[in-house]
Structures are given as C-alpha cells and as structure tokens.
Coordinates of all heavy atoms in Angstrom, one line a residue:
F27 N 111.3 -47.8 -17.8 CA 111.2 -47.8 -19.2 C 109.7 -47.4 -19.5 O 108.8 -48.0 -19.1 CB 111.4 -49.3 -19.7 CG 111.3 -49.4 -21.2 CD1 111.8 -48.4 -22.1 CD2 110.9 -50.6 -21.8 CE1 111.7 -48.5 -23.5 CE2 110.8 -50.7 -23.2 CZ 111.2 -49.7 -24.0
V28 N 109.6 -46.3 -20.3 CA 108.3 -45.7 -20.6 C 108.0 -46.0 -22.1 O 108.9 -45.7 -22.9 CB 108.2 -44.2 -20.3 CG1 106.8 -43.7 -20.6 CG2 108.6 -44.0 -18.8
I29 N 106.9 -46.5 -22.4 CA 106.5 -46.8 -23.8 C 105.2 -46.2 -24.1 O 104.2 -46.4 -23.4 CB 106.4 -48.4 -24.0 CG1 107.6 -49.1 -23.4 CG2 106.3 -48.7 -25.5 CD1 107.3 -49.7 -22.0
S30 N 105.2 -45.4 -25.2 CA 104.0 -44.8 -25.7 C 103.7 -45.4 -27.1 O 104.6 -46.1 -27.7 CB 104.1 -43.3 -25.8 OG 105.1 -43.0 -26.8
K31 N 102.6 -45.1 -27.7 CA 102.3 -45.6 -29.0 C 103.3 -45.1 -30.0 O 103.8 -45.9 -30.8 CB 100.9 -45.2 -29.4 CG 100.5 -45.6 -30.8 CD 99.1 -45.1 -31.2 CE 98.7 -45.5 -32.6 NZ 97.4 -45.0 -33.0
S32 N 103.6 -43.9 -30.0 CA 104.6 -43.3 -30.9 C 106.0 -43.9 -30.8 O 106.7 -44.1 -31.7 CB 104.6 -41.8 -30.8 OG 105.0 -41.4 -29.6
K33 N 106.4 -44.2 -29.5 CA 107.7 -44.8 -29.3 C 107.7 -46.2 -29.8 O 108.7 -46.6 -30.4 CB 108.0 -44.7 -27.8 CG 109.4 -45.2 -27.4 CD 109.7 -44.9 -26.0 CE 111.1 -45.1 -25.6 NZ 111.4 -44.6 -24.2
F34 N 106.6 -46.9 -29.6 CA 106.5 -48.3 -30.1 C 106.6 -48.3 -31.6 O 107.4 -49.1 -32.2 CB 105.2 -48.9 -29.6 CG 105.1 -50.4 -30.0 CD1 105.9 -51.3 -29.4 CD2 104.1 -50.8 -30.9 CE1 105.7 -52.7 -29.7 CE2 103.9 -52.1 -31.2 CZ 104.7 -53.1 -30.6
I35 N 105.8 -47.4 -32.3 CA 105.8 -47.4 -33.7 C 107.1 -46.9 -34.3 O 107.7 -47.5 -35.2 CB 104.7 -46.4 -34.2 CG1 103.3 -47.0 -34.0 CG2 104.9 -46.0 -35.7 CD1 103.0 -48.2 -34.8
G36 N 107.7 -45.9 -33.6 CA 109.0 -45.4 -34.1 C 110.1 -46.4 -34.0 O 110.9 -46.6 -34.9
T37 N 110.1 -47.2 -32.9 CA 111.1 -48.3 -32.8 C 111.0 -49.4 -33.8 O 111.9 -49.8 -34.4 CB 111.1 -48.9 -31.4 OG1 111.2 -47.8 -30.4 CG2 112.2 -49.9 -31.1
L38 N 109.7 -49.8 -34.0 CA 109.5 -50.8 -35.1 C 109.9 -50.3 -36.4 O 110.4 -51.1 -37.3 CB 108.0 -51.3 -35.0 CG 107.5 -52.0 -33.8 CD1 106.1 -52.6 -34.1 CD2 108.5 -53.2 -33.4
T39 N 109.6 -49.1 -36.7 CA 109.9 -48.5 -38.0 C 111.4 -48.6 -38.3 O 111.8 -48.9 -39.4 CB 109.4 -47.0 -38.1 OG1 108.0 -47.0 -38.0 CG2 109.9 -46.4 -39.4
Q40 N 112.2 -48.3 -37.3 CA 113.6 -48.4 -37.5 C 114.1 -49.8 -37.9 O 115.0 -50.0 -38.6 CB 114.4 -47.9 -36.3 CG 114.2 -46.4 -36.1 CD 114.7 -45.5 -37.2 OE1 115.8 -45.7 -37.7 NE2 113.9 -44.6 -37.7
Q41 N 113.4 -50.8 -37.3 CA 113.8 -52.2 -37.6 C 113.4 -52.6 -39.0 O 113.9 -53.5 -39.6 CB 113.1 -53.1 -36.6 CG 113.2 -52.7 -35.2 CD 114.6 -52.3 -34.8 OE1 115.6 -53.0 -35.0 NE2 114.7 -51.1 -34.2
L42 N 112.4 -51.9 -39.7 CA 112.0 -52.3 -41.0 C 113.0 -51.9 -42.1 O 112.9 -52.4 -43.2 CB 110.6 -51.6 -41.3 CG 109.5 -52.0 -40.4 CD1 108.2 -51.1 -40.8 CD2 109.1 -53.5 -40.6
Y43 N 114.0 -51.2 -41.8 CA 115.0 -50.7 -42.8 C 115.8 -51.9 -43.4 O 116.1 -51.9 -44.5 CB 115.9 -49.7 -42.2 CG 115.4 -48.3 -42.2 CD1 114.2 -47.9 -41.5 CD2 116.0 -47.3 -42.9 CE1 113.7 -46.6 -41.5 CE2 115.5 -46.0 -42.9 CZ 114.4 -45.7 -42.2 OH 113.9 -44.4 -42.2
S44 N 116.2 -52.8 -42.5 CA 117.0 -53.9 -43.0 C 116.5 -55.3 -42.7 O 115.7 -55.4 -41.7 CB 118.4 -53.8 -42.4 OG 118.4 -54.2 -41.1
T45 N 116.8 -56.3 -43.5 CA 116.3 -57.6 -43.3 C 116.8 -58.2 -41.9 O 116.1 -59.0 -41.3 CB 116.7 -58.5 -44.4 OG1 118.1 -58.4 -44.7 CG2 115.9 -58.2 -45.7
G46 N 118.0 -57.8 -41.6 CA 118.6 -58.3 -40.3 C 117.8 -57.8 -39.1 O 117.4 -58.6 -38.2
S47 N 117.4 -56.6 -39.1 CA 116.6 -56.1 -37.9 C 115.1 -56.4 -38.0 O 114.4 -56.5 -37.0 CB 116.8 -54.6 -37.8 OG 116.5 -53.9 -38.9
R48 N 114.6 -56.6 -39.2 CA 113.2 -57.0 -39.4 C 113.0 -58.3 -38.7 O 111.8 -58.6 -38.3 CB 112.9 -57.1 -40.9 CG 112.8 -55.7 -41.6 CD 112.7 -55.9 -43.1 NE 111.5 -56.5 -43.6 CZ 110.4 -55.8 -43.9 NH1 110.5 -54.5 -43.9 NH2 109.3 -56.4 -44.3
A49 N 114.0 -59.2 -38.6 CA 113.8 -60.5 -38.1 C 113.3 -60.5 -36.7 O 112.7 -61.5 -36.2 CB 115.2 -61.2 -38.1
F50 N 113.5 -59.4 -35.9 CA 113.1 -59.3 -34.5 C 111.7 -58.8 -34.3 O 111.1 -59.0 -33.2 CB 114.1 -58.3 -33.8 CG 115.5 -58.8 -33.8 CD1 116.4 -58.1 -34.6 CD2 116.0 -59.8 -33.0 CE1 117.8 -58.4 -34.6 CE2 117.3 -60.2 -33.1 CZ 118.2 -59.5 -33.8
V51 N 111.1 -58.2 -35.4 CA 109.9 -57.5 -35.2 C 108.7 -58.4 -34.7 O 108.0 -58.0 -33.7 CB 109.5 -56.7 -36.5 CG1 108.1 -56.2 -36.4 CG2 110.5 -55.6 -36.7
P52 N 108.4 -59.5 -35.3 CA 107.3 -60.3 -34.8 C 107.5 -60.7 -33.3 O 106.5 -60.7 -32.6 CB 107.4 -61.6 -35.7 CG 108.0 -61.1 -37.0 CD 109.0 -60.1 -36.5
L53 N 108.7 -61.1 -32.9 CA 108.9 -61.5 -31.5 C 108.7 -60.3 -30.6 O 108.1 -60.5 -29.5 CB 110.3 -62.0 -31.4 CG 110.7 -62.4 -30.0 CD1 109.9 -63.6 -29.5 CD2 112.2 -62.8 -29.9
V54 N 109.1 -59.2 -31.0 CA 109.0 -58.0 -30.1 C 107.5 -57.6 -30.0 O 107.0 -57.3 -28.9 CB 109.7 -56.8 -30.7 CG1 109.3 -55.5 -30.1 CG2 111.2 -57.0 -30.6
I55 N 106.7 -57.7 -31.1 CA 105.3 -57.5 -31.0 C 104.6 -58.5 -30.1 O 103.8 -58.2 -29.2 CB 104.7 -57.5 -32.4 CG1 105.2 -56.3 -33.2 CG2 103.1 -57.5 -32.3 CD1 104.8 -56.4 -34.7
H56 N 104.9 -59.8 -30.3 CA 104.3 -60.9 -29.5 C 104.6 -60.7 -28.0 O 103.7 -60.9 -27.2 CB 104.8 -62.2 -30.0 CG 104.3 -63.4 -29.3 ND1 103.0 -63.8 -29.4 CD2 104.9 -64.3 -28.5 CE1 102.8 -64.9 -28.6 NE2 104.0 -65.2 -28.1
Q57 N 105.8 -60.4 -27.7 CA 106.1 -60.3 -26.3 C 105.5 -59.0 -25.7 O 105.0 -59.0 -24.5 CB 107.7 -60.2 -26.1 CG 108.4 -61.5 -26.4 CD 108.0 -62.6 -25.4 OE1 107.9 -62.3 -24.2 NE2 107.8 -63.8 -25.8

C-alpha cells in the first residue's frame, strides 16, 4: 500500500461529501 500526500488528501476529500463517510475522517487521520 503506497500513500502520498495527494492520495491521502484525495481520499479524505471523498469522505467529506456525506455525513456518513465524514464520521471516519478523524479516526483515519489519528491512526
């Protein structure tokens, strides 16, 4: 699994679209 800054940002951006997926964002960042 390869992670770059743009991949990280792009994945988080997709989660911001709905309240259901936004719920995961803080945990993903923390981990």
Side-chain angles (χ1 to χ4, degrees):
F27 182 36
V28 183
I29 313 100
S30 65
K31 177 181 176 181
S32 59
K33 188 171 189 173
F34 184 69
I35 289 293
T37 304
L38 293 188
T39 295
Q40 290 303 308
Q41 311 315 307
L42 296 176
Y43 277 63
S44 75
T45 50
S47 56
R48 289 168 70 92
F50 300 106
V51 170
L53 179 64
V54 168
I55 292 171
H56 179 66
Q57 289 295 321

